[in-house]
Amino acid sequence: GANARKDGDSVANLNSGKRIDAVYQAPYLAHAPMEPMNCAAVVNADSCEIWAPTQMQTPSRNGAAMILGLAPEKVKLNTTFVGGGFGRRGRTDYVNDAVEVAKTMPGTPVKVVWSREDDMQQDYYRPASYVKMSAALNAAGMPVACTVDVACPSFPNVGRNGVSGTAVEHFAESLYEIPNYSVDYHRADTHVPVSFWRSVGWSQNTFFFESFIDELAAANNQDPLEFRRKMLSKSPRMLGVLNLVAEKANWGKTLPAGRAQGFAISNNVGSFTAQIAEVSVTSGKVKVHKITIATDCGHVVNPQILREQAIGGAVYGLAAAMKGSITIDKGRVQQSNFNNYDVLRMDEMPEFEVYVVPSTEAPGGMGEASTPGTAPAVANAIFRATGKRLRQLPIKNANLA
């Protein structure tokens, strides 16, 4: 693999204590926005005007100019409300569709709207990922070495030294103080088109690493929150949200019968976020009762929008964790609509509480900050409720009976 991070000598120290090995997997995911891909365009002899819900204005304009043989400044692009993007509208294929058709009918406005089946089966999916992790624990039960090997398609491309930065996110930016720590990337491209998905590489890698950190804590019967505290002494902002979410969710206190809590952190998009999920498992069926979110996202401009973004991001992550999976048979995507690519339903919504650490730091993002931590928080809660460790998503496929 290509090395993405190297602290100390993890390989040499991997057998210096109690060794823990694990393999985690995550599937391809569709974006499934409520509004399918669509675009309107009109082409004239020496100009083009486009109306598109796009997250990528310049490539959309330049792509249209290339199709039409026009200078880019001859193309006017109007950005409409997105109707759900999550990274999918960072591609220009649906814009190109409308321009190609409008090119054949000069002066006539053309609107192209994809069907739900088109949208689901012609997506640029979140990459599937396969990760091997190993760690050595000292006599006090703390990690002295850890290796991470990521096998994942390169998206959007391979950068410096052969590493796809998005494929190793969270691992490469880990704040945990492990003296010997390495992350290697193994490029595993396939014919399946992939691209950004809400919170990008953090979405799967936070599930992998935060679940594995929980495994390390459980190996010596340590409280998973206290275990993290010991490894975050040099990260005051992360410690701040960790302590806040533990206080607000009553971590370690008596819960209603049959319920358990799980914990996870992430530090993406310039924000520090911690989540605690409260779940129960009855006859193999998981019920998520409550998710408590604490964040330090720097200076807050609009508290209400922050709260809605935090909840929306967590709901998106929870739907994917519980149900999301794109499977491919003989080159064809098997899912086609919400009947076989299910999302979170109203009766499955947990209660949410959102808390913010007052801060004068530069503003971070919030739309993606709460997405990555949802899956590991729920999976870690399931472990505490059942003793069964989930190393593969979605949760609906796990045998918890």
Side-chain angles (χ1 to χ4, degrees), residues 143-162:
V144 293
C146 180
T147 61
V148 178
D149 286 274
V150 179
C152 180
S154 57
F155 66 109
N157 50 49
V158 172
R160 189 173 59 183
N161 302 324

Side-chain angles (χ1 to χ4, degrees), residues 125-204:
Y125 303 96
R126 188 193 76 174
S129 190
Y130 182 97
V131 175
K132 292 182 178 181
M133 293 171 285
S134 299
L137 305 179
N138 62 19
M142 299 306 295
V144 293
C146 180
T147 61
V148 178
D149 286 274
V150 179
C152 180
S154 57
F155 66 109
N157 50 49
V158 172
R160 189 173 59 183
N161 302 324
V163 175
S164 171
T166 49
V168 297
E169 286 178 332
H170 186 83
F171 293 125
E173 291 84 1
S174 173
L175 300 175
Y176 291 123
E177 298 156 30
I178 302 175
N180 302 285
Y181 176 66
S182 64
V183 180
D184 286 345
Y185 170 65
H186 304 258
R187 186 173 180 175
D189 290 341
T190 74
H191 64 284
V192 181
V194 297
S195 189
F196 303 111
W197 188 94
R198 191 171 186 172
S199 74
V200 200
W202 293 82
S203 67
Q204 70 266 25

Side-chain angles (χ1 to χ4, degrees), residues 55-99:
Q55 294 174 264
M56 205 66 72
Q57 286 80 2
T58 302
S60 295
R61 182 199 65 171
N62 292 350
M66 185 177 297
I67 290 169
L68 300 172
L70 296 174
E73 58 268 23
K74 294 294 184 179
V75 177
K76 179 181 179 181
L77 188 141
N78 304 282
T79 305
T80 64
F81 289 124
V82 170
F86 319 120
R88 175 61 181 95
R89 299 183 203 270
R91 293 288 179 165
T92 65
D93 48 344
Y94 60 99
V95 178
N96 295 346
D97 272 2
V99 173

Side-chain angles (χ1 to χ4, degrees), residues 139-317:
M142 299 306 295
V144 293
C146 180
T147 61
V148 178
D149 286 274
V150 179
C152 180
S154 57
F155 66 109
N157 50 49
V158 172
R160 189 173 59 183
N161 302 324
V163 175
S164 171
T166 49
V168 297
E169 286 178 332
H170 186 83
F171 293 125
E173 291 84 1
S174 173
L175 300 175
Y176 291 123
E177 298 156 30
I178 302 175
N180 302 285
Y181 176 66
S182 64
V183 180
D184 286 345
Y185 170 65
H186 304 258
R187 186 173 180 175
D189 290 341
T190 74
H191 64 284
V192 181
V194 297
S195 189
F196 303 111
W197 188 94
R198 191 171 186 172
S199 74
V200 200
W202 293 82
S203 67
Q204 70 266 25
N205 292 342
T206 304
F207 164 67
F208 299 149
F209 205 41
E210 284 299 289
S211 298
F212 187 60
I213 292 295
D214 247 52
E215 287 202 50
L216 302 185
N220 280 58
N221 297 313
Q222 298 189 67
D223 179 276
L225 187 137
E226 291 297 332
F227 186 70
R228 287 172 171 84
R229 279 186 174 131
K230 295 174 186 176
M231 293 190 289
L232 292 169
S233 64
K234 299 177 183 177
S235 303
R237 294 181 72 184
M238 186 58 79
L239 271 174
V241 297
L242 184 152
N243 292 330
L244 179 61
V245 79
E247 172 196 344
K248 297 299 185 181
N250 295 314
W251 177 268
K253 304 292 177 62
T254 302
L255 296 171
R259 297 192 188 184
Q261 291 180 325
F263 187 83
I265 64 171
S266 61
N267 56 296
N268 63 323
V269 295
S271 299
F272 299 79
T273 307
Q275 291 166 243
I276 291 177
E278 184 177 314
V279 312
S280 63
V281 183
T282 305
S283 301
K285 183 174 176 59
V286 177
K287 172 69 175 176
V288 181
H289 298 275
K290 184 177 180 180
I291 294 178
T292 306
I293 303 168
T295 186
D296 178 350
C297 57
H299 177 71
V300 176
V301 177
N302 187 316
Q304 183 61 27
I305 288 178
L306 180 147
R307 181 179 182 276
E308 300 304 328
Q309 288 279 25
I311 293 173
V315 168
Y316 199 75

